[in-house]
Amino acid sequence: MSNSIYRKDGTAQGVAKQRLIESLAKPNKRIIYDPYAKKFVLGANIIRLIGHKFSVWLGNKIVPGMHEHLICRTRFIDDFIERSTPIDIEQYVILGAGYDSRAHRLKLPSKLKIFEVDQLEVQERKRSRISDNIPNIENVTYVSIDFNHHSLSEQLLSAGFDRSKPTIYTMEGVSQYIEKETLNLTLKEIAKLNPNSNSKFFISYVNKLIKEDPRVCFGEGYSKPNKAVKFITDSSANVGEPWISFYSAQEIKDLLFQNNFTVIENKTLADLNSKYFTPVGRTIPENYIFKLEHFVIAKNKN
Ligand SMILES: C[S@@+](CC[C@H](N)C(=O)[O-])C[C@H]1O[C@@H](n2cnc3c(N)ncnc32)[C@H](O)[C@@H]1O
């Protein structure tokens, strides 16, 4: 048991903190905007005083490129959700939602039903920090779960999930915290939930080479990759949420395929740098590229 001041939300706060920092940049310089992140982050007022430029500089002294990696992940999923939901998707399930605020900050169709899935403690804290008149709250249902102990399908169905409706699922920054078997079972549950529909899935995963050859998880010339890996994994373990599962691209492809999904994209910050950062004049130099986590989009095989 960790003595952390965080109550199961240390890593959820960590990601929200990067969204807060990015939201402090000038509108023509930022790649995402999350006006709600500040509600969830310990020390948010200090970060707001420090500002975007200095906070990013400080972060880059510790783990170069990690801020850019995390906000790139968020933007990649935002784009995926915004382009998919107006077409044929009627339900959105956010697995391990933490302090994700997509339900409230993106322009989503009013018919889209959103299920936020996470541990009860994290959801209680989240709900205590947002107001009843936050945009689109009427379309959000909170589903409390511990992926290790509860059945996702049972919890979703009892919360009003409709098996006949095409659904989009996102699992952002979660797979490294759960056992491989748990991820497999979760995917099996999802395959059972939507056997015939035109569903889509996003998952991020940490490259298993993080253990064997950390250098390949960063850009050419990245300074001290072993130190960066140690800092990230130690920080997560110190808040009671150690990284325990790592994958190869083939493993993820096979796992999704066995569970009725076929991979259509597998990207990292290196692939998205010119798409997201170059247009705002922030192209990330090669020796700052952080690509140990991959972003995967898959669609239902049917
Ligand atoms: C790094 S945070 C990411 C949060 C959010 N997806 C984001 O990107 O802002 C990981 C999230 O996974 C959730 N999580 C980890 N293990 C879990 C489990 N066994 N059952 C349910 N949720 C879990 C945590 O509570 C946390 O909110």
Side-chain angles (χ1 to χ4, degrees):
M1 173 72 116
S2 135
N3 292 324
S4 167
I5 48 166
Y6 300 106
R7 293 195 301 266
K8 297 192 177 178
D9 73 341
T11 63
Q13 279 202 43
V15 191
K17 180 176 160 188
Q18 300 310 319
R19 290 196 293 265
L20 161 61
I21 290 172
E22 186 65 11
S23 303
L24 298 172
K26 292 198 177 95
N28 62 347
K29 286 280 169 192
R30 66 193 176 210
I31 72 154
I32 57 129
Y33 180 58
D34 182 351
Y36 307 107
K38 60 178 183 278
K39 294 179 184 287
F40 309 116
V41 178
L42 252 161
N45 286 338
I46 298 171
I47 295 166
R48 290 163 81 191
L49 274 177
I50 296 174
H52 174 261
K53 215 169 174 176
F54 190 56
S55 298
V56 171
W57 178 84
L58 214 57
N60 278 336
K61 289 269 155 225
I62 306 165
V63 183
M66 190 165 84
H67 168 78
E68 288 80 1
H69 159 75
L70 288 170
I71 55 160
C72 179
R73 183 177 82 186
T74 293
R75 170 67 183 269
F76 183 72
I77 305 170
D78 285 359
D79 286 356
F80 172 50
I81 297 300
E82 287 192 318
R83 71 171 179 266
S84 307
T85 49
I87 305 167
D88 51 3
I89 299 288
E90 293 179 56
Q91 297 177 124
Y92 176 20
V93 179
I94 311 179
L95 300 158
Y99 298 137
D100 181 327
S101 61
R102 276 190 190 94
H104 312 294
R105 67 184 171 80
L106 298 186
K107 282 196 179 65
L108 301 173
S110 55
K111 66 166 192 303
L112 186 74
K113 237 183 141 197
I114 300 163
F115 298 89
E116 287 207 3
V117 178
D118 208 302
Q119 305 178 87
L120 179 65
E121 295 88 336
V122 179
Q123 294 194 320
E124 282 178 346
R125 194 178 256 197
K126 182 176 198 174
R127 296 176 77 173
S128 72
R129 305 266 162 112
I130 55 175
S131 60
D132 289 344
N133 56 8
I134 191 168
N136 207 24
I137 188 79
E138 64 284 1
N139 282 335
V140 179
T141 303
Y142 293 91
V143 180
S144 305
I145 201 171
D146 179 339
F147 294 122
N148 295 312
H149 300 292
H150 304 126
S151 154
L152 177 66
S153 54
E154 275 172 29
Q155 301 287 101
L156 278 174
L157 288 168
S158 61
F161 182 93
D162 184 337
R163 301 176 61 143
S164 68
K165 291 188 171 160
T167 304
I168 195 162
Y169 298 85
T170 59
M171 192 182 235
E172 178 183 13
V174 180
S175 69
Q176 57 267 55
Y177 300 101
I178 58 177
E179 297 288 351
K180 287 191 174 183
E181 187 48 29
T182 304
L183 176 60
N184 191 15
L185 286 175
T186 304
L187 287 170
K188 283 202 183 334
E189 298 260 304
I190 289 170
K192 258 193 322 195
L193 275 170
N194 286 110
N196 304 309
S197 72
N198 188 14
S199 293
K200 294 183 176 168
F201 194 88
F202 167 90
I203 184 167
S204 60
Y205 71 92
V206 174
N207 187 340
K208 72 188 317 179
L209 291 175
I210 186 179
K211 293 273 181 199
E212 298 147 34
D213 187 5
R215 274 172 316 151
V216 304
C217 302
F218 300 92
E220 197 70 41
Y222 191 95
S223 171
K224 302 188 180 132
N226 287 301
K227 197 173 148 212
V229 166
K230 183 167 169 24
F231 180 86
I232 300 160
T233 49
D234 283 356
S235 308
S236 286
N238 288 340
V239 296
E241 299 169 63
W243 284 15
I244 54 173
S245 299
F246 311 98
Y247 300 86
S248 66
Q250 190 62 44
E251 235 179 317
I252 281 289
K253 202 173 166 186
D254 292 346
L255 195 59
L256 286 163
F257 197 79
Q258 286 150 17
N259 292 298
N260 215 20
F261 283 103
T262 180
V263 169
I264 48 178
E265 282 189 68
N266 183 336
K267 305 276 188 213
T268 66
L269 172 61
D271 307 305
L272 300 165
N273 191 6
S274 59
K275 182 173 184 188
Y276 293 147
F277 292 94
T278 303
V280 295
R282 289 168 62 189
T283 305
I284 304 155
E286 178 65 22
N287 62 342
Y288 272 58
I289 291 285
F290 179 113
K291 53 178 180 181
L292 64 78
E293 192 182 31
H294 287 238
F295 316 144
V296 169
I297 290 178
K299 67 175 185 162
N300 209 284
K301 281 196 277 174
N302 298 312

